[in-house]
């Protein structure tokens, strides 16, 4: 079994699960590759943003001939930790308006995962309506509100930073998420009741989103389970995605629980 720790990570790029032979570091400091047999089993510690994302990417290696088992360990369940109560603001910029390191890669990967979660949520909603004969017109709360993000400047330095990075973004960087500076009057129209004067400045991220973190994580995890089920239904092998609400204090505890002799460890960094 490959043990993947995601307890302290926020974003896991798909590159960690891109090749068929994932290099893993064991406790002795050596490296070992997961064998390309017909069965692969993974344990992921932590059911937050990184953990559920890793689960989805690993399951992309399921096929009608390759059996993959992804086991997600979290005592509290999906999104029970910091991920589930985060602010949920989705955009690739720092508080100053600067494109963060790997911002483009992270932004595109996040949008892909969001699309997966939304499609799964729609599928579940349609199935629920069919099963319980719910009338048309009944709507669920969305996973994401795609109305942009407004960040008022709270100091003269913020104003200078906003202007600097908006100009840099438009001159040097690809236009990502519609970054611009707006005056207080425009900001008040976009966000009624916003405490800002007409002469003040605000950063407007036109394509920024506010997501419901718990709703998103639950939908993405359901996508993992449905994906494994759908692949298994088409072939002769059985792949799965399982949540185990077990406290894992260390890899040695997991080793004892799973009766493993040599657990492997792959740190996930965002």
């Amino acid at each position: 079994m490959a043990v993947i720790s995601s307890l302290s990570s926020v974003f896991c790029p798909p590159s960690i699960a891109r090749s068929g032979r994932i290099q893993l570091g064991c406790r002795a400091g050596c490296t070992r590759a997961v064998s390309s047999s017909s069965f692969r089993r993974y344990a992921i510690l932590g059911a937050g943003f990184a953990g559920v994302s890793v689960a989805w990417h690993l399951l992309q290696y399921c096929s009608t001939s390759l059996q993959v088992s992804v086991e997600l360990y979290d005592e509290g369940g999906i999104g029970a930790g910091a991920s589930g109560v985060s602010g949920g603001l989705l955009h690739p910029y720092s508080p100053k308006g600067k494109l963060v390191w790997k911002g483009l890669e992270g932004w595109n990967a996040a949008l892909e995962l969001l699309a997966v979660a939304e499609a799964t949520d729609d599928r579940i909603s349609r199935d629920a309506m069919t099963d319980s004969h719910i009338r048309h017109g009944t709507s669920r709360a969305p996973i994401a509100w795609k109305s942009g993000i407004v960040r008022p400047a709270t100091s003269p330095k913020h104003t200078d930073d906003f202007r600097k990075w908006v100009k840099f973004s438009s001159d040097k960087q690809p236009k990502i998420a519609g970054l611009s500076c707006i005056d207080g009057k425009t900001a008040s129209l976009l966000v009624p009741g916003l405490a800002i004067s007409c002469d003040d400045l605000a950063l407007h991220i036109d394509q920024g989103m506010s997501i419901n973190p718990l709703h998103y994580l639950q939908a993405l995890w359901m996508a993992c389970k449905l994906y494994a089920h759908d692949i298994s239904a088409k072939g002769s092998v059985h792949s799965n995605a399982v949540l185990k609400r077990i406290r894992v204090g260390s890899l040695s505890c997991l080793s004892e629980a799973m009766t493993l002799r040599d657990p492997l460890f792959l740190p996930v960094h965002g």
Side-chain angles (χ1 to χ4, degrees):
M1 170 184 279
V3 180
I4 299 175
S5 171
S6 60
L7 294 176
S8 61
S9 302
V10 174
F11 166 68
C12 173
S15 57
I16 71 141
R18 191 167 286 154
S19 67
R21 293 172 61 82
I22 304 174
Q23 289 296 120
L24 304 172
C26 66
R27 283 190 287 179
C30 61
T31 59
R32 184 174 299 177
V34 176
S35 63
S36 56
S37 64
S38 59
F39 175 70
R40 292 179 188 168
R41 187 182 182 194
Y42 303 96
I44 302 172
L45 308 184
F49 287 131
V52 180
S53 170
V54 169
W56 171 257
H57 289 302
L58 288 174
L59 283 165
Q60 303 313 297
Y61 293 97
C62 292
S63 69
T64 55
S65 59
L66 176 62
Q67 182 178 357
V68 175
S69 178
V70 173
E71 299 169 20
L72 191 59
Y73 287 80
D74 196 302
E75 183 180 23
I78 302 297
S83 293
V85 294
S86 64
L89 299 181
L90 181 59
H91 61 82
Y93 298 106
S94 74
K96 296 179 179 180
K98 179 183 178 181
L99 183 67
V100 299
W101 183 74
K102 293 290 185 179
L104 179 58
E105 179 183 357
W107 172 250
N108 290 330
L111 293 183
E112 290 176 5
L113 290 172
L114 178 60
V116 170
E118 289 180 323
T120 301
D121 198 53
D122 288 342
R123 174 179 171 180
I124 294 171
S125 182
R126 288 194 304 271
D127 291 345
M129 289 183 185
T130 301
D131 293 342
S132 58
H133 307 288
I134 299 175
R135 295 179 181 177
H136 266 325
T138 301
S139 60
R140 291 163 54 90
I143 291 177
W145 289 265
K146 303 174 183 180
S147 54
I149 295 173
V150 173
R151 175 172 289 165
T154 58
S155 70
K157 186 177 186 309
H158 284 172
T159 298
D160 292 340
D161 286 339
F162 289 174
R163 286 177 174 151
K164 172 185 174 182
W165 290 112
V166 166
K167 184 178 186 304
F168 179 83
S169 179
S170 61
D171 291 346
K172 304 293 185 181
Q173 301 285 351
K175 189 174 182 180
I176 307 168
L179 187 69
S180 63
C181 285
I182 56 176
D183 58 30
K185 182 177 180 180
T186 304
S188 296
L189 292 174
L190 292 172
V191 185
L194 182 66
I196 186 172
S197 71
C198 294
D199 297 328
D200 286 340
L201 197 70
L203 190 69
H204 182 215
I205 308 173
D206 182 61
Q207 297 174 40
M209 306 175 195
S210 299
I211 69 168
N212 181 321
L214 187 58
H215 191 173
Y216 161 76
L217 288 168
Q218 290 172 340
L220 187 58
W221 176 242
M222 183 56 68
C224 292
K225 296 176 67 175
L226 291 174
Y227 185 86
H229 176 270
D230 291 346
I231 289 293
S232 298
K234 297 176 183 177
S236 58
V237 299
H238 178 68
S239 293
N240 62 8
V242 181
L243 172 65
K244 296 192 174 183
R245 299 184 66 157
I246 299 173
R247 178 176 175 78
V248 179
S250 66
L251 292 178
S252 61
C253 292
L254 180 63
S255 177
E256 294 171 3
M258 301 300 295
T259 64
L260 295 177
R261 293 183 180 180
D262 185 20
L264 303 178
F265 175 66
L266 171 64
V268 179
H269 298 292

